[in-house]
Amino acid sequence: MQFPVSIPFVEHLGFELIRFDGGEAEIHVELKPELLNSFLVAHGGLSMTLLDVVMAHAARSVQHESGAVTIEMKTSFFRPGEGRLRAVGKLLHRSATMAFTEGHVYGADGQLCAHATGTFKYVKRLPAAGREIKSLQRRLDGAGSD
């Protein structure tokens, strides 16, 4: 299944969208050496990104025309993630502008590795084509200012 919008970072990590419907989403990722920490298990940042993305997709699965941006997220880790990771996200409650979700990451052995709750804000999708990326840094010498 294709992700509904292109997310270059998610594509780079190799996430696979398995389910995206009715307030639920499921995403898998195969661990590669560059996704591991110094203990040779899933890096915590990978698990948190997986949870963030699966919860956002659970929120969006009932409102496809909108994007969902993270407002807050709390993550708890239980055991190392190894092998092919499976993340499941669920929409718990929504309002017109907000979504409240939870997500779980399971290791290849089916054991729970991490859990998160997250709050997302529904936003209009903005056109990306033709937009110019601007630096967040201001020049101190005044050059380039209008």
Side-chain angles (χ1 to χ4, degrees):
M1 170 181 274
Q2 294 287 329
F3 281 93
V5 294
S6 174
I7 308 168
F9 183 57
V10 167
E11 293 168 9
H12 176 74
L13 293 172
F15 288 6
E16 301 171 49
L17 183 62
I18 305 300
R19 187 169 35 124
F20 175 60
D21 185 46
E24 296 184 355
E26 184 172 336
I27 297 173
H28 294 186
V29 65
E30 189 70 46
L31 290 182
K32 303 176 280 189
E34 57 270 23
L35 302 179
L36 305 178
N37 65 19
S38 60
F39 296 106
L40 301 179
V41 296
H43 190 283
L46 174 71
S47 297
M48 291 184 77
T49 300
L50 189 54
L51 286 161
D52 182 52
V53 174
V54 80
M55 290 188 301
H57 277 76
R60 290 191 60 243
S61 71
V62 298
Q63 193 161 322
H64 291 258
E65 69 281 357
S66 294
V69 295
T70 311
I71 300 300
E72 65 83 29
M73 180 174 159
K74 181 198 182 297
T75 306
S76 298
F77 295 95
F78 303 110
R79 66 180 36 86
E82 299 181 273
R84 185 174 178 81
L85 301 183
R86 179 174 68 94
V88 178
K90 183 175 181 180
L91 176 63
L92 300 174
H93 177 76
R94 66 170 287 207
S95 69
T97 59
M98 303 291 280
F100 302 89
T101 64
E102 71 175 350
H104 299 87
V105 173
Y106 301 92
D109 60 3
Q111 299 254 9
L112 180 63
C113 299
H115 170 265
T117 56
T119 306
F120 295 82
K121 181 169 178 60
Y122 290 116
V123 295
K124 289 182 186 178
R125 281 198 250 169
L126 299 173
R131 291 193 336 189
E132 181 180 317
I133 297 174
K134 298 183 187 220
S135 172
L136 296 176
Q137 302 294 319
R138 285 190 245 155
R139 292 187 60 156
L140 298 177
D141 62 7
S145 62
D146 293 327

